[in-house]
Every structure is written in C-alpha cells, then in structure tokens.
C-alpha cells in the first residue's frame, strides 16, 4: 500500500482505502447473484440451494440482492463526491474530474463489449457486476496518466 501512497495527503489515502472497500464489496456481492455464472457455485454446490433456484426466489430476496449490489456503486460515488468537495487544490480537483470522465467512458465501453459478448454467446458473463471495479481502476489509471502528462 505504501508503494502507491507515497505522495498522497491523508484525505487522498482515506479516499483510496474507501474506494478499495467499494471494489471488494462489488466482487463479494457479485457472488450473491443466483442466476449469474459463478465459480463459487461450482466449488460449493450447496451454496446455490441457499440462494434459491431461479424459479423459486422470493420477491424480498430479489429486492435485497438488488439493494446489496447497488450499495458499492453508491458508496464509490459518495466517496468520490466527498473527496472532490474536500480537496483544497483546484488543479487536482480538475484532474480527478477529468479522470472520472475517462473512467466513465471506459466503463461504458466495457459494458458495451460485455453486452455484445453476452448477446452473441447467450451465456452470462462470469462476473457481471464489475462496473464499479472498471470505473475505479480506469479512473486511477487515467489520473496517473494525466499526472504524468502534466509533470513534464
């Protein structure tokens, strides 16, 4: 962790940690979706019976799973908005905003690609809820590239 956090302020470190939590929660909640192709279901067949079969899932279970899978995305948006509100440096704020726009663009491109693959193959993508991860990783990479561009 210290490798990536050498020159960061405490606000930036805290925001990065919270974004990491959002990424981990996205992956964890993805394994709760019963209809998705899930490697854990192959390893632990009894887990599928706990989540319910596709035809016998209760409405409250569907709403609960939907709310759980929405939580990490809302958390990431909240952390990003809180960071932008508290960042004192306008230049860094502008870079973060540009990096977020690039992250959104890459997320939409990944969604289009995965949607086309699922349509042509007829199979669900193994991990369908990686939108938050794609957004966060592409935003971080974009931010590093923008910093490198302006540091010359």
């Amino acid at each position: 962790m210290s490798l990536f956090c050498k020159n960061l302020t405490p606000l930036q470190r805290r925001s990065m940690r919270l974004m990491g939590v959002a990424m981990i929660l996205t992956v964890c909640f993805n394994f709760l979706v019963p209809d998705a192709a899930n490697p854990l279901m192959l390893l632990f067949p009894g887990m599928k019976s706990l989540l319910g079969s596709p035809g016998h899932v209760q409405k409250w279970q569907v709403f609960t799973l939907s709310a759980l899978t929405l939580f990490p995305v809302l958390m990431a948006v909240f952390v990003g908005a809180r960071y932008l509100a508290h960042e004192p440096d306008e230049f860094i704020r502008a870079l973060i905003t540009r990096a977020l726009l690039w992250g959104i663009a890459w997320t939409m491109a990944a969604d289009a690609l995965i949607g086309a693959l699922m349509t042509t193959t007829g199979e669900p993508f193994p991990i369908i809820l990686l939108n938050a991860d794609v957004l966060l990783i592409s935003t971080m990479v974009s931010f590093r590239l923008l910093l490198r561009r302006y540091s010359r």
Side-chain angles (χ1 to χ4, degrees), residues 6 8 15 20 28 30 32 34 36 38 42 46 50-51 54 64 67 77 80 107 113 115-116 119 122 130 142 145 150:
K6 287 182 199 172
L8 298 179
S15 297
C28 291
N30 176 55
L32 296 176
N38 194 333
L42 299 174
L50 289 175
L51 293 174
T64 303
V77 169
T107 304
L113 179 66
T119 301
L130 285 179
S142 299
L145 290 174
Y150 285 109

Side-chain angles (χ1 to χ4, degrees), residues 29-89:
F29 290 152
N30 176 55
F31 291 127
L32 296 176
V33 178
D35 292 338
N38 194 333
L40 286 181
M41 299 296 176
L42 299 174
L43 293 174
F44 305 106
M47 201 169 142
K48 191 162 189 124
S49 65
L50 289 175
L51 293 174
S53 60
H56 299 87
V57 177
Q58 301 286 331
K59 279 190 175 185
W60 67 269
Q61 287 176 324
V62 173
F63 291 129
T64 303
L65 287 175
S66 299
L68 283 176
T69 57
L70 182 64
F71 176 72
V73 176
L74 292 177
M75 180 181 170
V77 169
F78 174 76
V79 169
R82 194 181 104 205
Y83 172 75
L84 286 173
H86 289 96
E87 176 60 54
D89 189 358

Side-chain angles (χ1 to χ4, degrees), residues 4 17-18 20 34 42 56 76 87-88 92 96 98 102 105 107 119 123 129 132 134 138-139 143:
F4 299 113
R17 271 189 243 123
L18 289 172
L42 299 174
H56 299 87
E87 176 60 54
I92 296 293
I96 293 289
R98 285 183 66 191
W102 277 108
T107 304
T119 301
E123 295 288 324
L129 296 175
V134 171
S138 60
T139 300
F143 180 69

Side-chain angles (χ1 to χ4, degrees), residues 1 5-18:
M1 182 79 171
C5 298
K6 287 182 199 172
N7 301 324
L8 298 179
T9 65
L11 173 66
Q12 291 170 338
R13 279 193 204 102
R14 184 175 42 247
S15 297
M16 282 184 62
R17 271 189 243 123
L18 289 172

Side-chain angles (χ1 to χ4, degrees), residues 115-132:
L117 289 174
M118 286 193 315
T119 301
T120 57
T121 62
E123 295 288 324
F125 194 70
I127 299 177
I128 59 171
L129 296 175
L130 285 179
N131 286 343

